[in-house]
Amino acid sequence: ENVDIGLQNAYRMVKEGGMDAVKFEGGTESRAKIVRHVVEGGVAVLGHVGLTPQAISVIGGFRAQGRTATRARSILDEALRLQDAGAFAIVLECIPANVAAAITDALEIPTIGIGAGGDTSGQVLVFHDLLGMLSHPHHEEFVPKFCKKYASVGIQINDGLAQFKKEVEGGVFPGKDYSPYLMSEEEEAKFDDVISEHAEKTKSKLDASDSKLGMADESEQLSLYGNK
């Protein structure tokens, strides 16, 4: 069944990934059933409702959730199901602050907000956005409205990569300063002899091969015109 597949995957994530817990997005009845099975199997589960990034193709893209009373109530119900199923905490993403506050008050377990106002039990942001790691004009258009940038390291990253490219293309890097591993003069001379010997053997093999190919071509030409 799906619940068994979910438990098997959870075990694998914990064992192979070195995780302390797994996160499940969504709180439908079928999802809550899987969460309960995983928790009963001994794996801690973090729930996630509101905007569920792994299902953006289903919910219509990265957009705020819970902006109508009906949808907000649905998200509350999902959170309650996940709590009842054994989740130890729930992420609330991209929902109105008052909705997040009401859900937090209704639950007995902590909530972690991301774009959900300041009344959740805790806060989280994607650190790439938080630190401005992708500070590029195209990326800036897609930084979430709720994300405050505390740095713009992406600008320094872009500058560094551009300088690296320029120095490599110009033959400046690595240069002698960044080529620190040297051979002694004696070993370098021996290696030069090895390379020379290898080059001579390679040339001899190529010459022999070209000679054989030439003889084969000549034979094929004679056969083509009926000469033997």
Side-chain angles (χ1 to χ4, degrees):
E1 295 184 2
N2 288 338
V3 291
D4 291 325
I5 294 173
L7 181 58
Q8 291 171 8
N9 289 336
Y11 283 151
R12 184 177 180 187
M13 287 292 294
V14 171
K15 291 179 179 179
E16 298 181 17
M19 302 293 104
D20 295 316
V22 295
K23 182 165 73 70
F24 277 83
E25 294 186 356
T28 60
E29 292 183 4
S30 60
R31 185 57 52 86
K33 182 180 179 181
I34 298 174
V35 169
R36 182 182 301 278
H37 190 60
V38 171
V39 172
E40 290 176 349
V43 179
V45 172
L46 172 66
H48 188 141
V49 297
L51 173 63
T52 49
Q54 305 306 315
I56 57 170
S57 59
V58 176
I59 62 178
F62 290 98
R63 58 183 62 185
Q65 302 294 310
R67 299 178 70 178
T68 66
T70 300
R71 181 58 185 136
R73 175 60 204 228
S74 177
I75 295 174
L76 170 59
D77 289 340
E78 289 183 15
L80 289 169
R81 285 195 200 98
L82 291 172
Q83 174 180 259
D84 292 343
F88 67 85
I90 296 179
V91 174
L92 306 178
E93 181 168 358
C94 289
I95 62 177
N98 63 308
V99 176
I103 294 174
T104 300
D105 288 341
L107 296 177
E108 297 178 6
I109 58 177
T111 58
I112 307 297
I114 176 169
D119 293 320
T120 53
S121 308
Q123 296 288 328
V124 69
L125 287 174
V126 176
F127 76 89
H128 300 78
D129 298 329
L130 165 69
L131 297 178
M133 292 185 69
L134 301 175
S135 295
H136 184 279
H138 298 307
H139 177 262
E140 295 292 343
E141 300 176 7
F142 301 100
V143 174
K145 295 179 179 179
F146 58 77
C147 184
K148 178 180 179 180
K149 284 202 304 184
Y150 289 83
S152 296
V153 298
I155 294 175
Q156 285 72 39
I157 291 174
N158 286 334
D159 290 346
L161 292 173
Q163 185 65 24
F164 170 69
K165 179 175 182 288
K166 179 180 178 181
E167 291 190 5
V168 169
E169 292 178 341
V172 176
F173 181 83
K176 291 184 178 181
D177 290 342
Y178 294 95
S179 302
Y181 310 110
L182 305 175
M183 301 175 79
S184 67
E185 292 183 2
E186 180 182 357
E187 292 300 322
E188 187 172 352
K190 290 180 180 179
F191 184 64
D192 288 342
D193 290 340
V194 170
I195 293 299
S196 296
E197 182 180 352
H198 175 74
E200 291 177 2
K201 289 182 178 180
T202 300
K203 185 176 184 305
S204 296
K205 289 181 179 179
L206 288 174
D207 290 342
S209 177
D210 289 342
S211 178
K212 290 181 180 179
L213 288 174
M215 293 174 63
D217 288 342
E218 184 178 353
S219 175
E220 288 180 1
Q221 290 174 3
L222 292 172
S223 296
L224 180 64
Y225 294 103
N227 297 319
K228 296 183 180 180

